[in-house]
């Protein structure tokens, strides 16, 4: 949320630097995320001065150019070539001197330099209003008042406004601070705590009066639950035009674009007081009647952005006697708003039910300044005041008169909150005793009324606009934030307790594996569990009926809980690849969510992602792309770190993995990994190969708990290596060789390793050559050649018989 410091000073006359004020606001819980300078004219016209045109002659080499001499207050006049048709001797004009930076309407900067134009030197530029950012005209140069003093900075003549804009990271509970007035109210309380008593200035509405009753609009609030309060008044004789410069500057400072004086006035009051308003063209209100109600589901309605929307039966609508005109509290309609031909309006100021507005806004994927405030809860008691304030402002800048009584439909007044606070509880929660008088002073500065005082506590009335303060704990929090968190002393004594927990706790195993993966070059990612339902279309393994849907999704892209860890990881990869980071290793611990017929289910996962090169670029080594077997080594190392090394593998091929393996331990699947299919990568706009592993973390934890650590002495006797070069069929896997070797010699064979693969020339068709090493060791004695040869002969015989292998 943006807050203009100059605007804030209209409520509270403070002469502090913006940085100092920002620090106090942050201490009060309105965290300042940044302070940005604002100038009503970009660049502030720095370097632009008043010049006096002394001479103006035709350019000798160009028919449309003129050569002028201009006095800009220096020792000597300067020579400037000008192409404007209206330049003439004797004029006072704005001159951009050499080195001045001007800005185009698109915000691009360009610097005035000394140069030659058609052979004539030019030492500056006589400016038009669009070149200075003071208007849109480029018909000719600006001609200033003859009384303007030569050499005077243009910023003084045009009263350039310099401002500081606070970017406040407003938390959802602070609905009371969604305006300049709300921030000023908090600021006053903070200043009072520092013994600085400054009056809070509120706009006066004492001059509001009804001129006549010539335009009456009847109001019927049919749905009183969704519209607890609805106010309105008609204004006639208006002239729709551009807003005055001061009003445009206020809106531009907070990032809004001025539209016209009527709409700008409603936006101004919204950001001034926090009360959204809406102006309807009174001539477009059929039968001079307003109805606040819901319509049947499926009703078509075109909103201000030109989009035809299908209404829900719970969407609150502002209708006239024949048709809907506006989605209440969210967005206006295409055919009921203010235009250049509007001369009379019905001005609306209302309090709508926050839950109803939020549901409607999310249903239609609309997020407006009005809905932002309504859905958090505005002040129900400021509605009429804001209506009068906006009416007076419109009359001031657009003329006209008030032509009806104010309609105020408020059948059931929203009551303030009654809360009791115990001094003892405040001390316990804060950790320090704050003097009772200080507590009372803080509460009164926050508009919280003290009804009664006892030795043990306070009876309080909290205003309705503080809908986040309804419990004793909320009151104590309010006291603490104004008193200052930094003023609470830290105790010298530190208490801690040691809990007895298993080394197989989930978080401990996550730390073990996380540390190992980081050491292997992986980065941990944390992605959103909310995702789009469209991902179910990319894989048959994901079923739309199994989606856990959000009742009030933030957007359609965050409408369901994920069924797979794959797509959130691919989103992270796509984001990085698009920013020139193409070699990536990611891992994530997370959950998937499934809505089955009998119950909803959550499953824990560990996902690994690899794409691009194995290692970072280096002068000392060539870049090598990661491949399936490199990735398999990472997967196996993860399991081995937890003692799960004796796993069974089986090839898999799915619509997610074009090729891969499934590793199991007994009947439990531990991980499935492989190469992500091209179709899925294309849908994520990824053109390079990606390897993905999905660990069933629940199964991994359960099996890791049952693995005991065994210790054995280091063997005293040497191991012996023997190699075979085996010619085998192409369909024979190394796993088959490994398993057969282990079955042949269970006691002395310690390991089997594949160290070379050859396919190509000099081999029979359909054959390949594997070079396999065997480590043999007897832990009790030294092996003899006879024992070794016997083992190797047995291995050779079994390979030939069962695998059809030949020794090369």
């Amino acid at each position: 949320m943006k807050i203009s410091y100059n605007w804030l000073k209209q409520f509270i006359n403070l002469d502090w630097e913006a940085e100092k004020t920002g620090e106090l606001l942050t201490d009060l819980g309105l965290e300042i995320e940044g302070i940005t300078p604002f100038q009503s004219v970009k660049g502030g016209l720095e370097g632009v001065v008043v010049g006096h045109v002394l001479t103006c002659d035709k350019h000798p080499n160009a028919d449309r150019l003129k050569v002028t001499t201009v006095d800009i207050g220096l020792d000597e006049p300067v020579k400037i070539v000008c192409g404007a048709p209206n330049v003439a001797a004797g004029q006072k004009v704005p001159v951009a001197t050499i080195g001045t930076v001007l800005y185009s309407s698109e915000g691009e900067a360009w610097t005035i330099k000394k140069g030659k134009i058609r052979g004539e030197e030019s030492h500056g530029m006589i400016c038009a209003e669009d070149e200075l950012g003071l208007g849109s005209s480029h018909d000719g140069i600006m001609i200033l008042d003859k009384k303007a003093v030569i050499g005077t900075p243009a910023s003084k003549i045009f009263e350039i406004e310099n401002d500081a804009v606070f970017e406040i990271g407003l938390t959802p509970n602070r609905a009371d601070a969604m305006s300049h007035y709300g921030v000023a109210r908090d600021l006053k309380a903070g200043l009072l705590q520092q013994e600085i008593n400054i009056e809070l200035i509120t706009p006066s509405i004492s001059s509001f009066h009804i001129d006549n009753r010539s335009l009456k609009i009847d109001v019927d609030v049919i749905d009183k639950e969704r519209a607890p309060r609805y106010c309105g008044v008609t204004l006639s004789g208006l002239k729709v035009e551009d807003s005055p410069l001061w009003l445009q500057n206020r809106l531009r400072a907070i990032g809004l674009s001025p539209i016209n004086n009527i709409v700008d006035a409603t936006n101004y009051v919204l950001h001034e007081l926090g009360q959204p308003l809406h102006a309807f063209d009174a001539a477009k209100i059929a039968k001079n009647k307003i109805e606040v109600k819901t319509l049947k589901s499926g009703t078509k309605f075109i909103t201000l952005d030109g989009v035809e929307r299908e209404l829900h039966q719970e969407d609150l609508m502002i209708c006239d006697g024949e048709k809907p005109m506006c989605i209440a509290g969210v967005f206006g309609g295409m055919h009921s708003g203010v235009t250049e031909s509007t001369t009379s309006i019905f001005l609306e100021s209302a309090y709508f039910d926050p839950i109803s507005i939020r549901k409607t806004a999310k249903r239609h994927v609309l997020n407006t300044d009005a809905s932002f405030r309504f859905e958090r809860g505005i002040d129900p008691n400021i509605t009429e005041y804001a209506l009068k304030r906006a009416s007076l402002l419109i009359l001031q800048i657009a003329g006209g008169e008030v032509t009806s009584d104010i309609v105020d439909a408020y059948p059931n007044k929203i009551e303030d909150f009654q809360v009791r606070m115990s001094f003892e509880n405040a001390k316990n929660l804060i950790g320090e005793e704050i003097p009772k008088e200080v507590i009372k002073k803080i509460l009164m500065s926050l508009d919280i009324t003290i009804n009664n005082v006892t030795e043990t506590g306070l009876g309080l009335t909290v205003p309705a606009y503080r809908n986040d303060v309804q419990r004793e704990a909320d009151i104590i929090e309010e006291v603490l934030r104004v008193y200052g968190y930094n003023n609470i002393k830290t105790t010298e004594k530190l208490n801690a307790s040691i809990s007895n927990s298993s080394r197989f706790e989930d978080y401990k195993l996550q730390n073990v594996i996380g540390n190992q993966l980081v050491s292997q070059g992986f980065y941990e990612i944390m992605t959103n569990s909310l995702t789009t339902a469209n991902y179910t279309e990319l894989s048959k393994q994901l079923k739309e009926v199994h989606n856990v849907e959000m009742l009030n999704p933030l957007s359609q892209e965050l409408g369901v809980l994920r069924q797979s860890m794959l797509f959130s990881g691919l989103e992270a990869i796509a984001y990085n690849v698009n920013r020139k980071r193409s070699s990536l290793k990611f891992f994530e611990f997370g959950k998937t969510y499934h809505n089955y017929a009998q119950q909803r289910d959550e499953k824990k996962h560990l996902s690994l992602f690899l794409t691009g090169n194995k290692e970072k670029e280096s002068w000392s080594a060539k870049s090598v792309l990661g491949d399936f077997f490199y990735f398999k080594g990472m997967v196996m190392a993860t399991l081995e770190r937890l003692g799960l090394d004796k796993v069974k593998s089986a090839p898999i091929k799915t619509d997610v993995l074009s090729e891969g393996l499934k590793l199991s331990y007994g009947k439990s699947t531990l991980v499935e990994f492989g190469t992500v299919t091209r179709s899925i990568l294309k849908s994520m706009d990824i053109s390079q190969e990606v390897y993905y592993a999905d660990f069933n973390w629940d199964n991994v934890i359960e099996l890791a708990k049952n693995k005991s650590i065994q210790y054995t002495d280091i063997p005293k006797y040497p191991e012996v290596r023997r190699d075979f070069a085996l010619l085998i069929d192409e369909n024979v896997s190394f796993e088959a060789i490994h398993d057969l070797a282990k079955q042949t010699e269970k006691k002395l064979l310690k390991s089997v390793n594949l160290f070379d693969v050859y396919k190509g020339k000099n081999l029979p068709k359909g054959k390949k050559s594997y070079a396999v090493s065997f480590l043999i060791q007897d832990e009790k004695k030294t092996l003899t050649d006879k024992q070794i040869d016997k083992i190797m002969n047995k291995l050779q015989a079994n390979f030939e018989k069962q695998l059809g292998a030949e020794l090369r």
Side-chain angles (χ1 to χ4, degrees):
M1 184 183 72
K2 294 185 186 325
I3 293 292
S4 158
Y5 196 24
N6 287 349
W7 197 345
L8 193 63
K9 288 178 180 178
Q10 292 179 202
F11 293 98
I12 190 160
N13 190 12
L14 187 63
D15 58 0
W16 284 7
E17 293 293 325
E19 289 74 16
K20 186 177 180 181
T21 302
E23 289 175 4
L24 178 54
L25 288 173
T26 297
D27 289 342
L28 289 166
L30 302 177
E31 182 179 0
I32 303 299
E33 296 178 341
I35 302 176
T36 307
F38 169 81
Q39 294 175 313
S40 55
V41 175
K42 193 169 185 178
L45 299 183
E46 188 174 341
V48 182
V49 298
V50 175
H52 181 212
V53 181
L54 301 177
T55 64
C56 180
D57 302 313
K58 186 177 179 298
H59 195 292
N61 302 317
D63 293 338
R64 295 186 179 182
L65 298 179
K66 296 176 181 178
V67 181
T68 66
T69 55
V70 184
D71 180 5
I72 59 173
L74 301 178
D75 294 338
E76 296 289 335
V78 296
K79 188 176 181 181
I80 299 176
V81 176
C82 181
N86 63 332
V87 65
Q91 294 172 338
K92 296 286 181 70
V93 294
V95 178
T97 58
I98 293 173
T100 298
V101 178
L102 298 178
Y103 296 86
S104 68
S105 58
E106 290 79 24
E108 295 181 4
W110 51 290
T111 304
I112 304 299
K113 298 177 181 178
K114 175 183 175 181
K116 278 189 176 183
I117 302 177
R118 294 291 183 91
E120 294 291 328
E121 288 190 356
S122 184
H123 297 263
M125 185 175 79
I126 304 174
C127 301
E129 67 174 38
D130 67 327
E131 294 165 332
L132 296 176
L134 297 172
S136 57
S137 173
H138 195 70
D139 296 336
I141 60 168
M142 289 188 74
I143 300 174
L144 306 179
D145 193 316
K146 291 185 177 181
K147 296 179 182 179
V149 178
I150 296 170
T152 301
S155 58
K156 292 186 178 180
I157 292 178
F158 295 105
E159 298 181 354
I160 303 302
E161 182 173 355
N162 293 296
D163 197 357
V165 180
F166 299 112
E167 183 68 44
I168 297 180
L170 194 67
T171 52
N173 64 306
R174 291 304 307 276
D176 62 296
M178 293 188 296
S179 64
H180 286 76
Y181 177 66
V183 173
R185 189 166 48 198
D186 244 28
L187 190 57
K188 174 180 168 59
L191 290 169
L192 198 60
Q193 180 59 24
Q194 298 186 16
E195 304 298 332
I196 302 173
N197 192 359
I198 299 180
E199 181 186 1
L200 185 62
I201 304 166
T202 55
S204 173
I205 58 170
S206 59
S207 61
F208 179 87
H209 65 279
I210 300 165
D211 296 291
N212 58 67
R213 295 174 174 81
S214 59
L215 182 57
K216 181 184 178 184
I217 303 289
D218 293 324
V219 175
D220 184 9
V221 180
I222 297 172
D223 195 329
K224 295 178 176 58
E225 287 187 8
R226 291 183 173 88
R229 187 175 190 184
Y230 192 89
C231 297
V233 69
T234 62
L235 307 177
S236 302
L238 306 175
K239 183 179 181 181
V240 179
E241 57 187 2
D242 288 341
S243 298
L245 194 58
W246 69 265
L247 177 51
Q248 292 188 40
N249 287 340
R250 284 286 179 264
L251 297 180
R252 287 194 180 105
I254 59 173
L256 298 182
S257 299
I259 299 173
N260 59 54
N261 50 0
I262 307 298
V263 175
D264 292 350
T266 60
N267 284 334
Y268 181 88
V269 174
L270 181 151
H271 289 277
E272 179 186 51
L273 302 177
Q275 171 66 57
L277 301 109
H278 192 79
F280 298 94
D281 188 330
K284 299 174 183 176
I285 300 176
K287 300 180 181 180
N288 281 358
K289 184 175 183 179
I290 293 286
E291 293 182 342
V292 184
K293 61 183 180 180
T294 56
L295 300 175
K296 65 179 181 180
S297 186
T299 302
K300 306 293 185 183
F301 179 68
I302 301 175
T303 46
L304 199 56
D305 55 0
V307 176
E308 184 179 74
R309 302 179 188 275
E310 194 171 287
L311 301 179
H312 187 273
Q313 60 189 14
E314 294 182 357
D315 292 336
L316 186 66
M317 302 296 296
I318 310 300
C319 308
D320 61 16
E322 298 175 351
K323 62 188 180 300
M325 298 190 298
C326 173
I327 302 178
V330 180
F331 211 26
M334 175 65 81
H335 306 299
S336 62
V338 173
T339 64
E340 292 180 356
S341 61
T342 299
T343 58
S344 58
I345 63 171
F346 176 79
L347 187 61
E348 167 197 280
S349 177
Y351 175 87
F352 297 120
D353 177 62
I355 296 174
S356 171
I357 298 300
R358 178 171 176 76
K359 287 182 177 180
T360 295
K362 299 310 172 188
R363 264 194 296 267
H364 297 288
V365 197
L366 291 170
N367 184 21
T368 61
D369 283 337
S371 68
F372 177 81
R373 286 158 177 80
F374 277 128
E375 66 190 31
R376 284 161 175 78
I378 62 171
D379 183 359
N381 297 318
I382 204 175
T383 311
E384 184 180 4
Y385 171 79
L387 182 67
K388 291 180 178 179
R389 164 63 175 153
S391 298
L392 290 172
L393 181 57
I394 291 171
L395 297 181
Q396 175 189 335
I397 62 178
E401 55 188 4
V402 180
T403 52
S404 76
D405 291 315
I406 289 179
V407 175
D408 186 3
Y410 195 16
N412 300 308
K413 188 176 185 302
I414 297 174
E415 299 295 335
D416 296 337
F417 309 110
Q418 304 298 320
V419 184
R420 177 158 186 83
M421 190 203 77
S422 162
F423 292 126
E424 184 64 26
N425 289 342
K427 177 183 175 182
N428 292 336
L429 275 178
I430 294 171
E432 183 177 307
E433 186 170 7
I434 297 177
K436 295 178 182 179
E437 291 304 315
V438 173
I439 291 176
K440 290 191 282 186
K441 180 181 176 182
I442 290 173
L443 292 174
M444 288 188 291
S445 72
L446 294 171
D447 292 343
I448 296 175
T449 304
I450 299 175
N451 300 323
N452 57 75
V453 182
T454 66
E455 285 296 318
T456 59
L458 302 171
L460 306 168
T461 298
V462 181
Y465 68 81
R466 289 308 307 271
N467 53 38
D468 62 319
V469 183
Q470 301 185 29
R471 305 170 302 164
E472 182 184 41
D474 301 328
I475 294 289
I476 296 170
E477 182 184 1
E478 290 297 292
V479 171
L480 182 55
R481 72 178 181 85
V482 176
Y483 181 76
Y485 292 100
N486 295 333
N487 293 326
I488 303 300
K489 297 175 184 177
T490 303
T491 59
E492 296 180 358
K493 183 180 178 183
L494 181 64
N495 296 324
S497 58
I498 300 174
S499 61
N500 181 23
S501 61
S502 167
R503 64 188 181 91
F504 296 107
E505 290 288 343
D506 187 1
Y507 75 93
K508 290 185 178 181
L509 294 183
Q510 286 190 28
N511 286 338
V512 168
I513 296 303
N515 288 337
Q516 173 168 302
L517 290 169
V518 168
S519 71
Q520 294 171 332
F522 282 80
Y523 288 89
E524 184 171 10
I525 60 173
M526 298 179 68
T527 60
N528 201 335
S529 296
L530 294 172
T531 188
T532 174
N534 295 335
Y535 285 148
T536 58
E537 300 172 5
L538 301 179
S539 172
K540 295 178 182 178
Q541 297 177 13
L542 309 180
K543 305 294 184 182
E544 186 177 355
V545 294
H546 294 161
N547 278 333
V548 179
E549 298 180 349
M550 298 295 99
L551 293 176
N552 296 305
L554 294 172
S555 67
Q556 291 180 339
E557 287 72 30
L558 301 172
V560 300
L561 287 168
R562 65 186 173 197
Q563 291 188 51
S564 170
M565 301 282 288
L566 173 64
F567 298 101
S568 54
L570 291 179
E571 286 174 358
I573 287 176
Y575 182 89
N576 280 271
V577 169
N578 289 339
R579 286 155 182 79
K580 308 302 181 183
R581 293 180 61 90
S582 57
S583 295
L584 304 165
K585 294 178 181 178
F586 288 155
F587 75 94
E588 179 180 16
F589 290 99
K591 291 182 179 181
T592 58
Y593 306 85
H594 311 270
N595 186 18
Y596 297 130
Q598 301 300 323
Q599 62 178 8
R600 291 180 175 178
D601 190 24
E602 294 183 17
K603 298 176 181 177
K604 295 179 182 177
H605 295 261
L606 164 63
S607 59
L608 304 186
F609 295 88
L610 170 69
T611 186
N613 295 330
K614 293 180 181 179
E615 306 295 341
K616 293 181 180 178
E617 286 184 334
S618 172
W619 63 271
S620 62
K622 291 183 179 180
S623 296
V624 179
L625 284 174
D627 56 22
F628 178 86
F629 295 101
Y630 175 75
F631 189 58
K632 178 184 177 183
M634 297 292 185
V635 172
M636 294 300 299
T638 300
L639 294 176
E640 288 169 2
R641 180 63 181 86
L642 298 174
L644 304 175
D645 50 350
K646 296 179 181 178
V647 295
K648 293 181 179 179
S649 66
I652 56 170
K653 185 176 182 180
T654 67
D655 56 0
V656 170
L657 301 177
S658 58
E659 59 176 347
L661 289 175
K662 177 171 71 172
L663 302 184
S664 305
Y665 195 100
K667 295 182 179 180
S668 299
T669 298
L670 298 180
V671 58
E672 293 182 354
F673 67 94
T675 309
V676 180
T677 59
R678 292 286 182 187
S679 60
I680 287 181
L681 294 180
K682 184 178 180 180
S683 70
M684 304 299 291
D685 199 25
I686 299 172
S687 58
Q688 60 193 62
E689 206 156 60
V690 176
Y691 301 97
Y692 166 64
D694 181 20
F695 288 81
N696 186 321
W697 192 245
D698 289 314
N699 288 347
V700 170
I701 293 174
E702 190 60 34
L703 290 170
K705 290 179 181 178
N706 299 323
K707 292 296 292 184
S708 58
I709 298 176
Q710 296 180 346
Y711 299 90
T712 58
D713 292 335
I714 297 175
K716 298 178 181 180
Y717 302 98
E719 60 186 17
V720 177
R721 170 173 166 160
R722 291 288 186 270
D723 299 340
F724 274 166
L726 298 174
L727 184 65
I728 55 177
D729 293 337
E730 283 190 344
N731 62 353
V732 176
S733 66
F734 170 68
E735 183 180 17
I737 296 173
H738 177 278
D739 291 348
L740 182 55
K742 286 287 189 178
Q743 291 172 12
T744 302
E745 178 52 59
K746 298 179 180 179
K747 183 178 179 182
L748 300 181
L749 183 61
K750 300 301 181 184
S751 68
V752 183
N753 182 48
L754 176 67
F755 64 89
D756 188 41
V757 177
Y758 176 72
K759 297 179 182 180
K761 291 182 180 180
N762 304 322
L763 291 182
K765 187 177 180 181
K767 296 287 186 177
K768 61 184 176 181
S769 176
Y770 274 7
V772 184
S773 66
F774 304 88
L775 287 181
I776 306 168
Q777 185 182 46
D778 190 331
E779 297 178 2
K780 297 180 180 180
K781 61 183 180 181
T782 302
L783 288 168
T784 64
D785 289 340
K786 186 177 181 181
Q787 288 176 297
I788 297 169
D789 291 342
K790 183 180 179 183
I791 293 171
M792 298 307 296
N793 290 335
K794 191 189 297 185
L795 289 172
Q796 180 183 345
N798 283 345
F799 290 155
E800 292 173 348
K801 182 180 179 181
Q802 298 190 35
L803 302 179
E806 299 176 27
L807 284 185
R808 292 187 66 197

